[in-house]
């Protein structure tokens, strides 16, 4: 059973070709956008209002969040659409449906004893029963699956690779179900396999349990006991939407693409993570309408980032080679207002972390550096360009990328305290993925600076791509292959 497919595309992106040197007639009498003018339109009050709206959207629903599949997320998408709908002459707005199998509820017994369990997103509904087998190590490698799992249920530890990889390997060995157990505190409510199913090797029901419950089961198996489990999962197959808006004016063959995500985790309203990115992009998109552009500007609000970059992955998978060529640069914006912030730029040139992006990524980093150092006159740091947010799928496709962030669960260093103020030894955002991620805990000073940085790059690239390498300097395939090679050398451990 395929659990995802595109079902809706309400409007195609306009395919008008405009000479790069002239303004499209649609731009009317507006003056060409420039960094300083656009930045001047970005006001804290407007950002604050948007954050409050997103929080109201979350709090007016039973779950008090904006997680995919919830009313809160649906209303977030409607809000974005409504805001963009105010500019029908300026933007073409597209909704791209992504079908997701979202975990609803589950029951689990082991030798007739009940264990608290959650249905894992992207896995199907089902009822399975059989002997439990512990998979050694982390289950990320084929070599972890030595014995046949025919008719059995595998129990696998969380971590290191996407859980979908583990389930795929277990299924190829014949497993009829999988129990995932946590590698940290808390339950696996809202957990996702983070990777779309391979239609050739469809997923089986997956239940997520706590670390303690998982360790107890594994200990029983190691002691030679037989454990029979009975797992029922209920998932709801629902369509979740990416919102994509593109200027009607500007060269449609050369596009600057800016994106953030529209969903939150289950735990809270997700106002910094990443309601701040959602709001910043909306505000820049709204203010941009005052101006003309030379290059087309595309904004995206991705669904299901928290469940494994699913919205952005799906979007990139649907782009034709020609469409990929048109995206000169993709820029990612998340966590724009962390209370204990640092101004972080993705290390697109590899100078800090030795991992470079496709040609254009280094230039994007340089543009952000120029903004923070010369225009805003504030300090900045670099963060690893590892593809762990929505820009990952773009890198994999060979598209140049960049972005900025204010920090998530990482700990501020002494050096950063000297650079940005705040408190060393404390996470950038103590409320990361918690119910305290609300409008009261945003750093508005950081947020306005970050949003102005977005306005700056939007204006710069809407005017010209002269600072980027020529479009065809290296083929997309070559760039993608290089990134794939780099990924092989790394272990991706953060959010899986
Ligand atoms: C789980 O068990 C409860 C209590 O026995 C029952 O009400 C519920 O319908 C069951 N749900 C599933 C998914 O089987
Ligand atoms: C940087 O990465 C390349 C390729 O991944 C590797 O060959 C090289 O040794 C690395 N350099 C440093 C300084 O780590
Ligand atoms: C930048 O960081 C240095 C410490 O590295 C600090 O002395 C300086 O005040 C900071 N500048 C600004 C504008 O915050
Ligand atoms: C760039 O590539 C496209 C197709 O991939 C091709 O049509 C175009 O002529 C190339 N342009 C240059 C300057 O090589
Ligand atoms: C899961 C999560 O935290 N979502 C993203 C929010 O923004 C940060 C910073 O860009 C990303 O690293 C996260 O992946």
């Amino acid at each position: 059973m395929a659990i995802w497919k595109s079902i809706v595309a309400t409007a195609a992106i306009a395919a008008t070709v405009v000479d790069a040197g002239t303004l499209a007639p649609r731009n009317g009498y507006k003056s060409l956008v420039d960094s300083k003018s656009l930045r001047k339109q970005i006001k804290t009050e407007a950002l604050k209002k948007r954050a409050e709206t997103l929080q109201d959207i979350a709090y007016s629903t039973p779950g008090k969040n904006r997680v995919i599949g919830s009313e809160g997320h649906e209303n977030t998408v409607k809000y974005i659409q409504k805001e963009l709908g105010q500019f029908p002459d300026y933007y073409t707005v597209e909704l791209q449906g992504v079908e997701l199998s979202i975990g609803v509820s589950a029951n689990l017994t082991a030798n007739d004893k009940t264990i608290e369990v959650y249905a894992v997103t992207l896995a199907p509904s089902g009822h399975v029963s059989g002997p439990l087998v512990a998979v050694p190590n982390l289950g990320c490698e084929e070599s972890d699956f030595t014995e046949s799992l025919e008719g059995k249920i595998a129990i696998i530890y969380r971590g290191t690779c996407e859980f979908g990889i583990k389930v795929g390997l277990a299924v190829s060995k014949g497993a009829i179900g999988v129990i995932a157990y946590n590698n940290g505190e808390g339950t696996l409510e809202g957990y996702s396999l983070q990777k779309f199913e391979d239609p050739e090797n469809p997923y089986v029901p997956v239940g997520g349990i706590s670390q303690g419950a998982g360790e107890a089961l594994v200990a029983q198996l190691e002691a030679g006991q037989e454990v029979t489990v009975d797992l029922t999962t209920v998932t709801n197959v629902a369509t979740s939407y990416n919102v994509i808006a593109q200027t009607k004016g500007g060269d449609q063959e050369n596009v600057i693409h800016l994106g953030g995500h529209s969903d939150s985790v289950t735990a809270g309203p997700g106002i910094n993570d990443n309601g701040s990115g959602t709001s910043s992009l909306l505000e820049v998109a709204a203010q941009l309408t005052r101006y003309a552009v030379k290059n087309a500007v595309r904004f995206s609000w991705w669904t299901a980032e928290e469940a494994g970059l699913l919205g952005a992955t799906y979007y990139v998978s649907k782009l034709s080679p020609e469409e990929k060529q048109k995206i000169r640069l993709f820029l990612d914006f998340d966590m724009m207002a962390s209370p204990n912030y640092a101004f972080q730029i993705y290390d697109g040139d590899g100078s800090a972390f030795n991992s470079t992006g496709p040609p254009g990524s280094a230039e994007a980093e340089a543009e952000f550096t120029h903004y923070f150092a010369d225009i805003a006159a504030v300090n900045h740091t670099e963060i690893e360009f590892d593809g762990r947010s929505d820009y990952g799928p773009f890198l994999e496709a060979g598209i140049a990328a960049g972005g900025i962030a204010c920090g998530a669960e990482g700990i501020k260093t002494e050096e950063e305290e000297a650079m940005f103020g705040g408190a060393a030894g404390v996470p950038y955002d103590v409320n990361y993925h918690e119910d305290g991620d609300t409008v009261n805990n945003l750093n508005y000073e950081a947020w306005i600076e970050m949003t102005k940085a977005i306005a700056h790059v939007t204006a710069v690239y809407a005017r010209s791509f002269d600072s980027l390498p020529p479009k065809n300097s290296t083929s997309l395939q070559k760039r993608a292959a290089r990134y794939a090679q780099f990924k092989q050398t790394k272990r991706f451990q953060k959010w899986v």
Side-chain angles (χ1 to χ4, degrees):
M1 180 190 66
I3 57 164
W4 59 285
K5 61 182 194 295
S6 168
I7 57 163
V8 183
T10 52
I13 288 172
T16 338
V17 181
V18 181
D19 179 71
T22 61
L23 297 184
R26 285 201 182 90
N27 282 321
Y29 301 109
K30 293 173 176 176
S31 61
L32 180 62
V33 69
D34 68 275
S35 167
K36 197 169 174 189
S37 311
L38 186 58
R39 278 186 281 123
K40 248 172 71 185
Q41 305 296 345
I42 304 297
K43 310 263 164 63
T44 303
E45 271 316 299
L47 291 173
K48 199 167 181 179
K49 235 175 100 189
R50 293 194 187 280
E52 281 163 359
T53 303
L54 289 174
Q55 184 158 313
D56 289 347
I57 286 173
Y59 283 172
S60 65
T61 67
K64 303 211 182 320
N65 61 28
R66 301 183 302 108
V67 70
I68 45 163
S70 72
E71 200 183 327
H73 185 244
E74 249 171 60
N75 291 340
T76 301
V77 168
K78 282 188 194 144
Y79 165 67
I80 296 168
Q81 214 187 345
K82 187 185 110 224
E83 292 299 295
L84 294 165
Q86 294 171 28
F87 314 106
D89 296 335
Y90 198 85
Y91 290 115
T92 304
V93 181
E94 179 192 356
L95 284 191
Q96 181 182 43
V98 185
E99 210 171 89
L100 300 167
S101 169
I102 296 164
V104 177
S105 67
N107 283 335
L108 174 68
T109 62
N111 291 344
D112 296 324
K113 265 180 64 187
T114 301
I115 295 173
E116 187 188 23
V117 64
Y118 292 90
V120 174
T121 286
L122 290 188
S125 294
H127 174 216
V128 291
S129 175
L132 189 67
V133 177
V135 172
N137 305 319
L138 286 150
C140 292
E141 314 282 342
E142 235 179 302
S143 55
D144 293 339
F145 295 81
T146 46
E147 54 179 303
S148 164
L149 293 172
E150 211 62 54
K152 294 180 179 157
I153 296 170
I155 178 164
I156 314 179
Y157 195 43
R158 176 187 185 183
T160 293
C161 64
E162 292 145 332
F163 213 90
I165 291 176
K166 307 177 191 220
V167 175
L169 288 168
V171 167
S172 67
K173 284 289 185 176
I176 55 170
V178 173
I179 309 286
Y181 68 111
N182 208 351
N183 58 356
E185 273 175 43
T187 68
L188 283 182
E189 186 179 7
Y191 191 50
S192 157
L193 297 182
Q194 299 131 359
K195 189 175 181 294
F196 287 117
E197 132 184 298
D198 169 10
E200 305 282 304
N201 198 27
Y203 288 145
V204 291
V206 182
I209 64 176
S210 71
Q211 181 163 23
E215 283 171 353
L217 287 174
V218 171
Q220 274 178 275
L221 292 170
E222 280 172 356
Q225 287 177 38
E226 277 177 24
V227 179
T228 303
V229 294
D230 186 281
L231 171 70
T232 307
T233 62
V234 177
T235 59
N236 176 28
V237 179
T239 304
S240 192
Y241 294 92
N242 287 328
V243 186
I244 297 134
Q246 180 158 323
T247 55
K248 292 184 175 178
D251 177 1
Q252 305 289 309
E253 298 297 307
N254 288 284
V255 178
I256 172 70
H257 192 162
L258 305 101
H261 71 82
S262 59
D263 62 317
S264 76
V265 290
T266 311
I271 299 306
N272 183 30
D273 180 13
N274 283 293
S276 55
T278 300
S279 305
S280 293
L281 283 180
L282 264 178
E283 193 54 26
V284 173
Q287 298 306 332
L288 182 64
T289 61
R290 299 167 184 269
Y291 306 97
V293 293
K294 271 191 185 166
N295 295 316
V297 182
R298 187 180 300 168
F299 295 94
S300 291
W301 290 266
W302 310 118
T303 184
E305 190 264 6
E306 304 285 5
L309 321 180
L310 300 178
T313 300
Y314 183 75
Y315 176 83
V316 173
S317 76
K318 292 289 155 189
L319 289 175
S320 66
E322 293 72 33
E323 287 297 331
K324 284 179 191 159
Q325 285 283 1
K326 291 178 189 172
I327 304 173
R328 299 294 298 275
L329 181 63
F330 172 73
L331 298 173
D332 185 57
F333 302 102
D334 261 345
M335 315 271 305
M336 295 288 109
S338 308
N340 193 30
Y341 71 92
F343 295 129
Q344 306 173 331
I345 308 176
Y346 292 137
D347 181 32
D349 65 5
S351 62
F353 297 95
N354 195 28
S355 58
T356 44
S361 309
E363 288 77 2
E365 184 189 348
E367 194 61 56
F368 281 117
T369 303
H370 166 59
Y371 173 75
F372 285 116
D374 307 329
I375 299 176
V378 294
N379 290 310
H380 67 271
T381 59
E382 286 160 79
I383 49 168
E384 194 166 6
F385 196 54
D386 54 13
R388 284 190 193 122
S389 188
D390 286 314
Y391 64 97
F394 286 83
L395 292 183
E396 283 181 30
I399 297 168
I404 49 176
C406 267
E409 80 282 24
I411 308 289
K412 189 174 242 179
T413 63
E414 299 275 338
E415 202 184 351
E416 288 170 340
E417 183 190 291
M419 292 169 80
F420 304 103
V426 175
Y428 302 111
D429 186 355
V430 286
N431 303 303
Y432 176 71
H433 286 185
E434 301 287 347
D435 59 3
D437 183 3
T438 68
V439 290
N440 297 331
N441 293 318
L442 296 182
N443 188 311
Y444 287 94
E445 203 181 301
W447 195 10
I448 192 81
E449 206 58 84
M450 294 294 271
T451 310
K452 286 186 175 188
I454 301 175
H456 171 73
V457 291
T458 302
V460 164
Y461 296 120
R463 284 175 78 92
S464 163
F465 286 122
D466 286 353
S467 62
L468 296 185
K471 202 168 178 175
N472 297 10
S473 52
T474 326
S475 77
L476 283 170
Q477 287 89 335
K478 256 195 210 151
R479 299 169 174 200
R482 205 179 303 151
Y483 183 69
Q485 217 173 12
F486 156 68
K487 242 189 113 170
Q488 292 260 314
T489 65
K490 294 240 140 192
R491 289 246 168 217
F492 284 73
Q493 294 195 324
K494 195 171 111 194
W495 47 263
V496 294

